[in-house]
Amino acid sequence: MRIHNILALLIIFAGFSEVQAQGYSVSGINEEMQKDAHAVVRKEVTNIMVENESRSIMQVNKVITVLDSKGLDIAAIGIPYDKFDKVLEISALLYNKHGKLIKKIKAKEFGDISYSSSSLATDTRLRIYQPTPDSKVGMPFTIEYNYRVQTKGLFSFPRWVPLDDENLAIEFASLELVVPNRDFINHRSQNIKEEVQISQENDGTHYHWVVEDIMPFEREPMSPSFLQQVPMVHLAPKSFNIQGFRGDANDWNNLGAFFYDLNDNRQSLPKELKIKVEELTAGLDDPIEKAKVLYKFMQDNTRYVSIQLGIGGWQTFEAEYVYTNGYGDCKALSNYMKSMLQHLNIPSYTVLVYAGGDKPDIVPDFPANQFNHMILCIPQENDTTWLECTSSFAPFGYLGDFTEDRHVLLLTPEGGKLVKTPGSTAEMNQQFRNTDVFLQKDGSAQVEVSNISTGFQQTPWRYFGEEASERDREKYLRKSIDASSFELESYQFTDWPDSEIPTYQVSYQLDATNWAKSSGPRLFLTPNVLERRQSVPEKNANRTQSIVLQYAYLDRDTVVYHLPNGYEVESLNREPLEIETIFGHYRASVEIKDPNTLIYYRELQMEKMELPPSYYEQLREFFKEINQADRMQVVLSNKS
């Protein structure tokens, strides 16, 4: 009788295993979903149980099928932990393409590394696993992760981003959050069709989000950032308690007050630094002139390092620490500059910002810790000065595309104030290039170039001119020169320190071959050599994503050609070309100054904007016309 029962149980278990195998079989994935995917999330179930404002547990079960080698990195996992977050359990299972379990991966097989290799010191580490299928597993294959993380101190929740990579599809993903009551949490979802389901149960209030059948996502050219386009849930506790520091995020004022209090009373300066500050600013009356001197002193005597210690990485080191050690992170350096100004009774405020050249703005009506960087603000009666304190070469008062034109949180004694950093116009981001070309009969040329850049266009030149090695400086310059064959004879990098807008000049001299093509008595010349548009966005009749032109800028080129003796213009288009569009404008012309001199003019101005996808073909056409115009030719013939 017992044998029959055991056999029956084995048959039932075998049947269950077969059902599970079929569930993870690659053949069960919709073919349309596989078409543009490197990996498919079969199931991702995330449960967060919040006990109180100081403690929660998150449990995750994620099953992802890797379709090809490009999906290996997508399927890799990294689970952060620190003194606030503890990984309680972690394991993984590997299945072959038929859904058969091949291997069990234990916790000790997961790597344990520092969260940031660029940080001098950090509390945060990662438990990582990079799947590498062997001959038993094969390709495609499926990996299932299971882990639990305990958090002490709910300062913030990570964003839930189930579609966290391009060329990834999702069959099913869900987030369930359980909190003590409805007044505990603020939440905001984006790009999720179904509304959040809320229910009241014995263990608290349940919030439930689900996404299903998400096809592979791939950003189209010049589209919004990845995070703006994928499903996401933002979560923020209305109140929190982290290591005895209490705060709330009911509004920006209260959240800012928490950050201010967290970093207050850390501005004390040693006596010798106080004396130095007074000596450096002696004889100056204007507070901004004093600030300029102190900013330069800070740049010359400190360096930036990433330090992620303290209360979640948000509590700064004291000003004295920076002075003594000569380094600090964004918080420490901003606080250091603030401390020196404070000693001279010049008010300033540290500022939280979500920084990055292509990063989206924060959600301005969702008070939460959405920031990754700190800068400094010096308020004035009719103006405001913003300082990037981590840069050793940035001009005073210049932010650039890293932090400009976005919402930021000022940390004042009265609390947080949400404001916006100023943006820049095309006229502030210019490039003026004047070129003299002494053309020879064989098509070679001696070329002299003066390139003056402002705003964000000067930033890379300033970096390589002020910070890079001679070797890297020359390498960058050579790469920027779009001539087919040349020798770089000499070059100079020059700052314009007294300019109202940051300005940098690069001058160089070339000995170039094949500047023009020689054929018998004729030279075929493309006047625009150094600033040709090289590409046109690919055609897309089914464009779905909006168009983002991220930067406003203005390029002006003047090229003076000194022709070889005996050569005259045989053929050219004398009509100036002008293209006016909503995106910007383009102008080009060629002028015969005298029998031996030809002058080429070019101007391109682009505006910063976001437009519906219906404008894409018009933008492509604009770029196509520029591409064609930049290749206009002049025919020179030898009449001697």
Side-chain angles (χ1 to χ4, degrees):
M1 186 69 179
R2 290 183 60 193
I3 294 176
H4 288 294
N5 289 338
I6 292 172
L7 287 173
L9 287 172
L10 288 174
I11 292 170
I12 292 171
F13 180 77
F16 174 77
S17 299
E18 182 63 28
V19 169
Q20 186 186 51
Q22 290 175 355
Y24 293 163
S25 171
V26 176
S27 62
I29 303 174
N30 182 298
E31 289 186 7
E32 284 296 312
M33 192 170 280
Q34 295 186 53
K35 188 181 295 182
D36 297 314
H38 299 312
V40 178
V41 173
R42 315 300 297 277
K43 177 183 68 172
E44 180 184 318
V45 178
T46 302
N47 293 289
I48 302 175
M49 171 68 75
V50 178
E51 296 180 13
N52 51 52
E53 62 182 16
S54 300
R55 178 183 169 90
S56 70
I57 291 183
M58 178 176 69
Q59 183 162 329
V60 178
N61 171 240
K62 183 175 183 178
V63 182
I64 184 168
T65 295
V66 178
L67 299 176
D68 55 39
S69 59
K70 292 182 179 179
L72 291 173
D73 286 341
I74 298 176
I77 196 168
I79 305 167
Y81 73 94
D82 53 26
K83 62 184 178 182
F84 303 108
D85 299 301
K86 180 180 180 182
V87 180
L88 301 177
E89 296 177 11
I90 185 171
S91 64
L93 302 171
L94 276 174
Y95 303 87
N96 66 13
K97 65 180 180 180
H98 302 297
K100 181 181 178 181
L101 178 61
I102 301 298
K103 183 179 180 181
K104 296 181 179 180
I105 301 159
K106 298 179 180 180
K108 64 182 181 181
E109 297 178 70
F110 283 72
D112 192 336
I113 64 171
S114 174
Y115 184 78
S116 173
S117 59
S118 62
S119 292
L120 176 69
T122 176
D123 285 337
T124 306
R125 298 187 64 80
L126 283 175
R127 296 302 305 274
I128 63 168
Y129 188 81
Q130 172 71 64
T132 52
D134 54 27
S135 57
K136 290 183 179 180
V137 177
M139 182 77 76
F141 69 95
T142 298
I143 186 166
E144 178 177 7
Y145 295 107
N146 288 283
Y147 61 91
R148 285 198 308 138
V149 177
Q150 180 187 81
T151 297
K152 295 180 179 179
L154 302 183
F155 177 43
S156 61
F157 288 98
R159 294 174 299 197
W160 185 61
V161 189
L163 190 70
D164 57 2
D165 214 322
E166 294 190 41
N167 302 110
L168 174 67
I170 296 178
E171 289 186 334
F172 175 87
S174 70
L175 168 66
E176 183 171 28
L177 174 69
V178 183
V179 295
N181 54 69
R182 280 180 178 253
D183 293 329
F184 191 89
I185 197 88
N186 287 321
H187 60 87
R188 178 70 58 83
S189 63
Q190 68 178 48
N191 302 316
I192 295 178
K193 294 179 181 180
E194 300 295 329
E195 292 289 331
V196 58
Q197 300 298 310
I198 306 175
S199 61
Q200 189 65 44
E201 301 182 24
N202 292 335
D203 56 352
T205 304
H206 288 236
Y207 296 83
H208 195 214
W209 292 267
V210 172
V211 296
E212 295 181 276
D213 301 326
I214 305 295
M215 293 298 172
F217 172 80
E218 194 167 351
R219 278 188 68 193
E220 295 174 327
M222 296 175 291
S223 68
S225 70
F226 179 81
L227 290 177
Q228 287 176 289
Q229 301 191 68
V230 297
M232 184 186 302
V233 174
H234 300 268
L235 299 170
K238 291 184 179 181
S239 62
F240 46 84
N241 184 350
I242 180 166
Q243 283 198 330
F245 289 88
R246 302 186 65 88
D248 73 68
N250 286 302
D251 54 43
W252 288 116
N253 181 269
N254 288 350
L255 185 61
F258 167 78
F259 281 113
Y260 182 89
D261 293 341
L262 187 66
N263 292 289
D264 197 19
N265 298 318
R266 290 173 173 260
Q267 290 78 44
S268 177
L269 302 181
K271 183 178 180 180
E272 60 185 292
L273 179 55
K274 290 179 181 179
I275 295 172
K276 184 68 175 178
V277 166
E278 293 165 5
E279 289 177 348
L280 288 170
T281 58
L284 298 176
D285 295 323
D286 185 354
I288 294 302
E289 291 302 316
K290 294 180 180 180
K292 283 183 181 179
V293 171
L294 296 180
Y295 185 69
K296 184 68 167 62
F297 170 75
M298 179 183 68
Q299 288 182 308
D300 291 343
N301 293 279
T302 63
R303 59 189 175 91
Y304 167 78
V305 295
S306 177
I307 304 173
Q308 303 301 323
L309 299 174
I311 309 299
W314 288 104
Q315 189 174 55
T316 184
F317 284 113
E318 294 87 349
E320 185 170 356
Y321 178 95
V322 177
Y323 176 70
T324 302
N325 293 279
Y327 62 77
D329 62 5
C330 63
K331 303 180 299 296
L333 292 172
S334 297
N335 180 67
Y336 181 59
M337 183 67 193
K338 173 185 175 180
S339 303
M340 291 191 291
L341 293 172
Q342 185 173 294
H343 179 65
L344 299 179
N345 297 314
I346 300 173
S348 64
Y349 306 122
T350 50
V351 182
L352 294 176
V353 56
Y354 188 45
D358 60 349
K359 297 291 193 298
D361 199 359
I362 65 168
V363 182
D365 59 350
F366 186 73
N369 179 23
Q370 302 180 53
F371 310 103
N372 64 359
H373 188 52
M374 181 174 280
I375 57 178
L376 191 70
C377 166
I378 306 175
Q380 300 156 255
E381 186 174 346
N382 299 315
D383 198 3
T384 300
T385 298
W386 305 87
L387 297 180
E388 173 54 70
C389 296
T390 62
S391 174
S392 60
F393 65 92
F396 178 84
Y398 179 67
L399 290 179
D401 62 334
F402 193 60
T403 52
E404 73 171 24
D405 193 25
R406 65 198 72 193
H407 288 90
V408 298
L409 189 63
L410 256 63
L411 308 182
T412 77
E414 296 77 31
K417 296 180 180 179
L418 195 69
V419 299
K420 208 170 184 186
T421 54
S424 59
T425 63
E427 287 71 21
M428 298 169 69
N429 301 312
Q430 298 195 47
Q431 176 183 269
F432 303 95
R433 180 160 42 208
N434 293 301
T435 306
D436 276 281
V437 180
F438 299 88
L439 197 60
Q440 307 301 309
K441 293 181 178 181
D442 61 357
S444 65
Q446 285 75 51
V447 184
E448 298 175 358
V449 181
S450 172
N451 186 349
I452 300 171
S453 302
T454 69
F456 81 76
Q457 297 222 59
Q458 60 84 46
T459 301
W461 294 116
R462 182 179 295 275
Y463 169 77
F464 281 96
E466 304 296 323
E467 296 292 302
S469 66
E470 192 71 32
R471 178 182 178 183
D472 288 343
R473 185 178 304 132
E474 181 175 329
K475 183 178 178 181
Y476 180 78
L477 176 57
R478 286 180 176 277
K479 190 176 180 180
S480 74
I481 301 171
D482 192 30
S484 58
S485 178
F486 64 89
E487 289 294 328
L488 181 61
E489 298 295 331
S490 61
Y491 61 87
Q492 304 82 35
F493 284 64
T494 309
D495 183 19
W496 288 25
D498 298 325
S499 302
E500 185 176 345
I501 299 173
T503 303
Y504 212 81
Q505 180 176 358
V506 178
S507 302
Y508 55 91
Q509 296 74 42
L510 306 176
D511 188 358
T513 58
N514 302 319
W515 194 271
K517 293 181 180 179
S518 176
S519 178
R522 291 182 175 84
L523 287 174
F524 295 88
L525 172 67
T526 301
N528 180 17
V529 173
L530 297 177
E531 193 59 35
R532 281 181 287 187
R533 183 165 188 87
Q534 299 295 331
S535 63
V536 174
E538 62 186 25
K539 192 171 184 178
N540 184 356
N542 300 312
R543 173 91 181 197
T544 60
Q545 299 168 20
S546 60
I547 301 161
V548 176
L549 301 180
Q550 198 157 1
Y551 305 114
Y553 63 90
L554 174 60
D555 291 343
R556 287 193 176 117
D557 275 80
T558 301
V559 186
V560 180
Y561 280 91
H562 306 274
L563 306 183
N565 289 332
Y567 275 77
E568 296 179 3
V569 174
E570 179 180 302
S571 172
L572 65 78
N573 181 5
R574 292 177 179 270
E575 292 297 321
L577 175 63
E578 295 193 16
I579 310 172
E580 295 286 345
T581 71
I582 189 175
F583 319 108
H585 71 251
Y586 174 90
R587 300 181 185 124
S589 63
V590 177
E591 174 188 350
I592 301 175
K593 190 72 173 177
D594 56 53
N596 295 314
T597 308
L598 188 74
I599 305 179
Y600 170 76
Y601 301 98
R602 179 188 189 271
E603 178 175 297
L604 173 63
Q605 178 170 327
M606 295 295 296
E607 301 297 339
K608 178 178 180 177
M609 61 181 63
E610 183 168 352
L611 293 166
S614 58
Y615 282 85
Y616 184 69
E617 189 54 38
Q618 293 181 44
L619 180 61
R620 280 191 73 249
E621 193 61 34
F622 180 44
F623 286 148
K624 282 171 62 177
E625 291 184 65
I626 295 173
N627 189 291
Q628 184 177 355
D630 279 350
R631 283 158 176 74
M632 68 178 290
Q633 277 202 337
V634 175
V635 181
L636 307 174
S637 60
N638 191 345
K639 301 297 184 181
S640 60

